[in-house]
Amino acid sequence: MDRDARGDVPVRRLTVLYDAECPLCTFARGWLARQRQLVPLEFVPAGSGEARRRFPAVDHARTLSDITVIGDGGQLYRGPAAWVVCMWALREHRATAHRMATPAGMKVAKQVVLGAAKYREAMWQRRQTGGGAYRREDGWSYDPKDGWFHQPSGQATAAAGSDACDSGCRVGD
């Protein structure tokens, strides 16, 4: 059967991209995994090589700051809609997901996601290392001023002077 990302395509499997280094995200991932699922959930660390290989068209920097769920038919859910679709996949929470999918319910879901984002930001600030940035082992870094950026391991930054512009950026920027 030829399937695409239209709304009339059934969802048979969901992939949840989550920040594997965020305590809140890993807690949510564990909780979701322990629930009885009507639609199977698969968990892939956001920004990982596996995520990039499987979903090359996705903005992977954004997946580190906003929960992203991808359906097997190409459906893409972010933020509050991603949380609602995760609940929809769970046997005990599908009715709640239907209520959350209403305009009033999405306002509540948005507040939950914003609360989670505030918690994550506070956690990053506690775990920050030098310069106010939060750095992950896979090369992704978060700077509160500039957001997420990626520097693959082993890639040396350009030396200051003729190899950098006045702003101090790397040559390739």
Side-chain angles (χ1 to χ4, degrees):
M1 173 188 220
D2 188 9
R3 300 175 57 202
D4 60 19
R6 295 184 326 229
D8 61 341
V9 176
V11 176
R12 294 191 177 108
R13 174 173 292 286
L14 294 166
T15 301
V16 180
L17 301 179
Y18 72 101
D19 184 347
E21 299 197 23
C22 167
L24 177 62
C25 299
T26 56
F27 173 82
R29 179 227 181 270
W31 182 83
L32 288 167
R34 289 188 303 273
Q35 303 303 305
R36 292 170 65 194
Q37 300 170 4
L38 295 171
V39 175
L41 296 174
E42 182 177 7
F43 303 94
V44 175
S48 68
E50 175 70 7
R52 282 190 191 79
R53 183 187 63 74
R54 291 179 58 186
F55 309 109
V58 170
D59 178 354
H60 291 280
R62 187 171 175 193
T63 65
L64 287 165
S65 61
D66 204 5
I67 183 174
T68 304
V69 177
I70 302 170
D72 59 340
Q75 305 89 341
L76 181 68
Y77 308 92
R78 293 184 197 230
W83 285 109
V84 171
V85 80
C86 283
M87 291 175 58
W88 173 82
L90 305 176
R91 180 183 178 112
E92 304 300 322
H93 299 283
R94 185 165 274 189
T96 301
H98 284 290
R99 287 190 301 276
M100 298 299 281
T102 66
M106 282 304 257
K107 287 180 183 178
V108 173
K110 184 176 181 177
Q111 291 302 312
V112 169
V113 170
L114 289 174
K118 280 186 167 188
Y119 172 82
R120 289 185 71 204
E121 184 174 346
M123 292 301 296
W124 286 330
Q125 288 183 7
R126 276 193 219 151
R127 294 173 55 192
Q128 65 188 345
T129 59
Y134 163 68
R135 292 174 180 77
R136 294 171 38 126
E137 291 180 18
D138 62 1
W140 282 97
S141 298
Y142 177 80
D143 185 305
K145 295 178 196 170
D146 301 320
W148 284 99
F149 61 94
H150 185 260
Q151 182 176 0
S153 61
Q155 177 183 351
T157 57
S162 62
D163 290 339
C165 67
D166 290 339
S167 69
C169 65
R170 294 184 309 274
V171 173
D173 290 352

